[in-house]
């Protein structure tokens, strides 16, 4: 599918942010992962189309510092939890009151932060995420900080080299992305237990990048775990991901 037209909204601090839409029906907001974009995560491999075909209005923002969204270089534009702030700003901009919410990797972490802060979607999807990536965000953040501060130094074929190669394909801004790491906020296990929204924890069968999806499922009060083929990078390229999300939303 060709890229969709970009639309715009302003977050609460005035930063101009991008989003795309596909389909009609019940709204579902889907947030992409770190280094990625809405187009790469949800559109390129057909997930948005598969979900839209089942009667959903798929709304896909580009996170601050990513894609077509604003990429300010000043640290003041990246306070803790600003990605969740941006998510609430999008919901306000669109006037959504009855919607679903989910994300992949950093998008899933952002979804958790929104849920912990009072977002009330009908259903939530946490894909490409495990418990450690929620309760201890610094570990994953340090991994990416090492990549962004060592660009051009990694041995070909290593996970760092592959992450850098992906960064180049999406035209990522290293300065903005480094600042994004400063926005990460841990969500304690006890807060997870208070989230009552029916939640799908969805992960590739070889994905351990953000810890245990089983443990995340157990920490939530109303969640179930589903598995799709692939590791953290490859699971998003397979149709199973979009199908699993659509099946969950249709229940």
């Amino acid at each position: 599918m060709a890229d969709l037209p970009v639309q715009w909204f302003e977050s609460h601090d005035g930063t101009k942010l991008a989003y795309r839409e596909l389909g009609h029906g019940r709204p579902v907001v889907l947030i992409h992962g770190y280094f990625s974009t809405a187009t790469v995560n949800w559109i390129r491999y057909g997930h948005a189309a598969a979900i839209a075909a089942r009667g959903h209005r798929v709304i896909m923002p580009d996170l601050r510092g990513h894609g077509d969204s604003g990429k300010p270089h000043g640290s003041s534009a990246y306070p803790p939890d600003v990605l969740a702030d941006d998510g609430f700003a999008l919901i306000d901009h669109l006037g959504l009151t009855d919607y679903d919410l989910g994300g992949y990797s950093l998008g899933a972490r952002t979804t958790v932060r929104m849920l912990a802060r009072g977002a009330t979607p009908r259903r939530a999807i946490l894909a490409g995420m495990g418990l450690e990536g929620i309760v201890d965000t610094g570990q994953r953040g340090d991994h990416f900080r090492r990549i962004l501060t060592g660009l051009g130094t990694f041995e070909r074929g290593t996970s760092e080299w592959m992450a850098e190669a992906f960064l180049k394909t999406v035209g990522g801004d290293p300065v903005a992305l480094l600042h994004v790491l400063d926005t990460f906020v841990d969500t304690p296990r006890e807060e997870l237990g208070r989230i009552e929204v029916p939640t799908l924890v969805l992960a590739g069968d070889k994905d351990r990048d953000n810890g245990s999806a089983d443990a995340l499922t157990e920490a939530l009060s109303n969640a179930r775990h589903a598995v799709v083929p692939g590791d953290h990078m490859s699971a998003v390229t397979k149709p199973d991901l979009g199908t699993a999300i659509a099946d969950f939303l249709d229940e």
Side-chain angles (χ1 to χ4, degrees):
M1 176 181 290
D3 197 7
L4 299 171
V6 64
Q7 302 184 61
W8 305 97
F9 71 104
E10 283 192 3
S11 194
H12 301 305
D13 67 347
T15 300
K16 191 175 181 181
L17 302 175
Y19 70 100
R20 289 166 169 81
E21 289 195 26
L22 181 66
H24 304 278
R26 180 179 181 81
V28 53
V29 177
L30 293 177
I31 308 172
H32 66 79
Y34 190 59
F35 278 18
S36 194
T37 68
T39 297
V40 172
N41 219 147
W42 304 117
I43 299 169
R44 178 171 297 170
Y45 301 104
H47 307 314
I51 297 165
R54 305 270 282 267
H56 298 276
R57 173 190 176 193
V58 188
I59 302 161
M60 302 159 284
D62 277 342
L63 288 167
R64 177 181 300 241
H66 295 73
D68 290 309
S69 284
K71 303 176 185 67
H73 282 189
S75 60
S76 62
Y78 300 90
D81 238 8
V82 74
L83 301 184
D85 294 339
D86 294 342
F88 283 117
L90 176 60
I91 288 169
D92 290 345
H93 170 76
L94 296 172
L96 302 181
T97 56
D98 186 17
Y99 62 96
D100 299 307
L101 175 66
Y104 193 88
S105 195
L106 177 55
R109 185 182 299 125
T110 304
T111 297
V112 169
R113 292 305 307 152
M114 294 176 69
L115 294 171
R117 291 175 49 185
T120 56
R122 182 186 67 107
R123 290 177 179 271
I125 303 104
L126 307 180
M129 183 51 62
L131 181 63
E132 292 80 355
I134 297 294
V135 302
D136 182 14
T137 60
Q139 182 176 356
R140 190 68 170 154
D142 288 345
H143 168 73
F144 284 111
R145 196 178 302 278
R146 187 169 61 252
I147 291 170
L148 288 167
T149 56
L151 296 175
T153 69
F154 303 110
E155 183 180 350
R156 186 178 184 88
T158 62
S159 61
E160 292 86 357
W161 180 89
M162 289 187 288
E164 181 178 351
F166 180 71
L167 177 67
K168 291 176 181 176
T169 66
V170 298
D173 182 327
V175 174
L177 289 167
L178 268 172
H179 284 310
V180 169
L181 296 176
D182 297 328
T183 72
F184 291 4
V185 173
D186 295 347
T187 304
R189 185 187 290 261
E190 53 270 25
E191 287 190 29
L192 290 173
R194 291 195 288 268
I195 295 172
E196 298 180 351
V197 174
T199 302
L200 177 68
V201 178
L202 182 63
D205 57 2
K206 297 179 179 64
D207 184 1
R208 304 293 183 271
D209 282 22
N210 284 301
S212 170
D214 281 321
L216 176 57
T217 306
E218 293 172 3
L220 293 160
S221 64
N222 188 9
R224 73 169 186 263
H225 181 205
V227 176
V228 293
D231 57 22
H232 195 70
M233 293 294 289
S234 65
V236 296
T237 70
K238 303 178 188 299
D240 308 72
L241 185 76
T243 299
I245 292 173
D247 287 347
F248 177 68
L249 294 176
D250 283 351
E251 291 180 0

